[in-house]
Amino acid sequence: MVRIGLTGGIGSGKSTVAAALVEFGGALLVDTDAISRGLTLPGGAAMPAIAARFGAAFVASDGALDRGAMRELAFRDPEAKRALEGILHPMIGAETARQAALAAPRQRIVFDVPLLVESGRWRRQVDRVLVVDCGEDTQVARVMARSGLSEAAARAILAQQATRTQRRAAADAVIHNDGLTLPQLRDEVRALLTSPLF
């Protein structure tokens, strides 16, 4: 069994690579971002603690986390960001372990962790780190097209993440996703899976 930590900045194409690792490599995908979102949906396990800590202003009318309000608060208040992480991270860790335990013997497990480098602990929990990398202008353009955010908002998100240099320094392999078509990106994943590292 190979435990692969998959990471990349916002807009890098990481989710596409994750899907290809499942399709071509038979991997079990554990998506920590999806777990986090599930915890903050209406009725999500984290919502009572979030409402108690931050108040009703951060709960949307449907009972989910008001992501926009929380994103804005976390950007300007590091203590609030730490408090939110203190609620979410233990829950994410428990669910990550539960999902990973479902892997078959000798099956690859891909842990899709957007903040793998920033967390400091994930490098010790995986056998290999795969980084999906591209230029910042490419990331910003993709985020703006996908999410409708302004350029300033997209760049503010990038500024909160590890730098490209930091991510590449932590990598056992890097997929460079600048100027690739979708078929070419998928071919990169196929080629990677022939490596003895993966």
Side-chain angles (χ1 to χ4, degrees):
M1 180 183 291
V2 178
R3 298 163 66 90
I4 301 168
L6 173 66
T7 195
I10 188 169
S12 64
K14 177 176 57 62
S15 296
T16 301
V17 169
L21 287 166
V22 171
E23 181 180 351
F24 304 137
L28 172 71
L29 176 63
V30 180
D31 184 338
T32 62
D33 208 29
I35 292 169
S36 177
R37 286 193 300 271
L39 291 168
T40 57
L41 289 174
M47 287 310 300
I50 290 172
R53 170 62 177 80
F54 296 99
F58 294 90
V59 181
S61 58
D62 63 357
L65 175 68
D66 184 330
R67 292 184 166 275
M70 185 58 76
R71 184 185 304 116
E72 183 180 328
L73 176 64
F75 279 152
R76 59 182 165 81
D77 184 348
E79 179 54 38
K81 181 181 178 185
R82 284 191 292 271
L84 179 64
E85 290 171 347
I87 293 168
L88 288 176
H89 286 184
M91 293 182 176
I92 293 170
E95 179 59 16
T96 295
R98 187 195 71 78
Q99 291 187 20
L102 301 175
R106 296 182 299 282
Q107 183 179 22
R108 292 182 182 93
I109 305 178
V110 174
F111 297 93
D112 183 339
V113 187
L115 302 181
L116 183 146
V117 173
E118 294 87 333
S119 76
R121 64 184 176 85
W122 268 101
R123 189 61 185 93
R124 299 185 301 274
Q125 297 178 240
V126 296
D127 303 308
R128 307 283 185 270
V129 170
L130 171 59
V131 169
V132 185
D133 183 53
C134 64
E136 287 190 5
D137 288 345
T138 301
Q139 289 178 266
V140 168
R142 288 174 180 163
V143 171
M144 290 171 64
R146 181 181 72 197
S147 305
L149 294 175
S150 67
E151 180 176 351
R155 291 195 183 278
I157 293 172
L158 262 65
Q160 296 287 317
Q161 298 184 340
T163 65
R164 295 175 65 200
T165 299
Q166 289 169 327
R167 277 192 295 269
R168 289 194 302 258
D172 294 294
V174 177
I175 290 179
H176 298 281
N177 186 24
D178 253 323
L180 296 182
T181 64
L182 179 57
Q184 288 170 335
L185 179 58
R186 286 162 59 84
D187 285 345
E188 289 285 319
V189 176
R190 280 195 189 93
L192 181 80
L193 288 170
T194 67
S195 161
L197 278 175
F198 291 90

Short mmCIF file of all heavy atoms in Angstrom, two decimals, residues 11 20 51 64 72 78 80 93 111 113 129 132 151 158 178 189:
data_model
loop_
_atom_site.label_atom_id
_atom_site.label_comp_id
_atom_site.label_asym_id
_atom_site.label_seq_id
_atom_site.Cartn_x
_atom_site.Cartn_y
_atom_site.Cartn_z
N GLY A 11 -6.75 26.22 -7.92
CA GLY A 11 -6.71 26.40 -9.37
C GLY A 11 -5.60 25.66 -10.08
O GLY A 11 -5.38 25.87 -11.28
N ALA A 20 -8.03 11.24 -11.81
CA ALA A 20 -7.27 10.36 -12.70
C ALA A 20 -6.52 9.29 -11.92
O ALA A 20 -6.39 8.14 -12.39
CB ALA A 20 -6.29 11.19 -13.54
N ALA A 51 -21.28 27.70 15.42
CA ALA A 51 -22.29 28.69 15.82
C ALA A 51 -22.04 29.19 17.24
O ALA A 51 -22.17 30.39 17.52
CB ALA A 51 -23.69 28.08 15.72
N ALA A 64 -26.08 26.13 7.04
CA ALA A 64 -24.69 25.83 6.67
C ALA A 64 -23.78 26.98 7.11
O ALA A 64 -24.24 28.06 7.48
CB ALA A 64 -24.58 25.64 5.16
N GLU A 72 -13.76 35.93 4.92
CA GLU A 72 -13.36 37.31 5.17
C GLU A 72 -12.81 37.47 6.59
O GLU A 72 -11.77 38.12 6.80
CB GLU A 72 -14.57 38.23 4.97
CG GLU A 72 -14.25 39.70 5.13
CD GLU A 72 -15.47 40.59 4.94
OE1 GLU A 72 -16.36 40.22 4.14
OE2 GLU A 72 -15.53 41.64 5.60
N PRO A 78 -6.25 36.28 12.44
CA PRO A 78 -5.57 34.99 12.59
C PRO A 78 -6.10 34.16 13.75
O PRO A 78 -6.12 32.93 13.68
CB PRO A 78 -4.10 35.37 12.81
CG PRO A 78 -3.97 36.74 12.23
CD PRO A 78 -5.29 37.40 12.45
N ALA A 80 -9.20 34.02 14.82
CA ALA A 80 -10.44 33.39 14.36
C ALA A 80 -10.14 32.19 13.46
O ALA A 80 -10.80 31.15 13.56
CB ALA A 80 -11.31 34.41 13.62
N GLY A 93 -9.60 14.95 10.82
CA GLY A 93 -8.65 13.87 11.08
C GLY A 93 -9.34 12.55 11.36
O GLY A 93 -8.93 11.49 10.84
N PHE A 111 -4.54 10.91 -0.43
CA PHE A 111 -5.07 11.91 0.48
C PHE A 111 -4.97 13.26 -0.21
O PHE A 111 -3.87 13.79 -0.40
CB PHE A 111 -4.28 11.93 1.79
CG PHE A 111 -4.36 10.66 2.58
CD1 PHE A 111 -3.40 9.67 2.42
CD2 PHE A 111 -5.41 10.44 3.46
CE1 PHE A 111 -3.47 8.49 3.14
CE2 PHE A 111 -5.48 9.26 4.19
CZ PHE A 111 -4.52 8.28 4.03
N VAL A 113 -5.08 16.85 -0.01
CA VAL A 113 -4.94 17.78 1.13
C VAL A 113 -4.48 19.14 0.59
O VAL A 113 -3.27 19.33 0.34
CB VAL A 113 -3.93 17.26 2.17
CG1 VAL A 113 -3.93 18.16 3.41
CG2 VAL A 113 -4.24 15.82 2.55
N VAL A 129 4.70 12.48 -1.63
CA VAL A 129 3.95 13.72 -1.84
C VAL A 129 3.98 14.05 -3.33
O VAL A 129 5.05 14.13 -3.94
CB VAL A 129 4.52 14.89 -1.01
CG1 VAL A 129 3.87 16.21 -1.43
CG2 VAL A 129 4.31 14.64 0.48
N VAL A 132 0.75 19.23 -7.66
CA VAL A 132 0.30 19.73 -8.96
C VAL A 132 0.60 21.22 -8.96
O VAL A 132 0.14 21.97 -8.08
CB VAL A 132 -1.20 19.47 -9.19
CG1 VAL A 132 -1.59 19.90 -10.60
CG2 VAL A 132 -1.53 18.01 -8.95
N GLU A 151 -10.05 39.38 -9.23
CA GLU A 151 -8.63 39.06 -9.22
C GLU A 151 -8.02 39.29 -7.85
O GLU A 151 -7.22 38.49 -7.36
CB GLU A 151 -7.89 39.88 -10.27
CG GLU A 151 -6.39 39.58 -10.31
CD GLU A 151 -5.65 40.32 -11.40
OE1 GLU A 151 -6.29 40.95 -12.26
OE2 GLU A 151 -4.40 40.27 -11.39
N LEU A 158 -4.47 33.00 -2.68
CA LEU A 158 -3.13 32.48 -2.96
C LEU A 158 -2.13 32.92 -1.90
O LEU A 158 -1.26 32.15 -1.50
CB LEU A 158 -2.65 32.95 -4.34
CG LEU A 158 -2.81 31.96 -5.49
CD1 LEU A 158 -4.27 31.68 -5.77
CD2 LEU A 158 -2.13 32.49 -6.74
N ASP A 178 0.74 23.67 -16.55
CA ASP A 178 0.62 24.93 -17.27
C ASP A 178 0.58 24.62 -18.75
O ASP A 178 1.49 23.96 -19.28
CB ASP A 178 1.83 25.82 -16.98
CG ASP A 178 1.50 26.99 -16.08
OD1 ASP A 178 0.39 27.55 -16.22
OD2 ASP A 178 2.34 27.33 -15.22
N VAL A 189 -0.57 11.76 -15.52
CA VAL A 189 -0.89 10.88 -14.38
C VAL A 189 -0.61 9.43 -14.74
O VAL A 189 -0.03 8.68 -13.95
CB VAL A 189 -2.36 11.07 -13.95
CG1 VAL A 189 -2.71 10.09 -12.83
CG2 VAL A 189 -2.61 12.50 -13.49
#
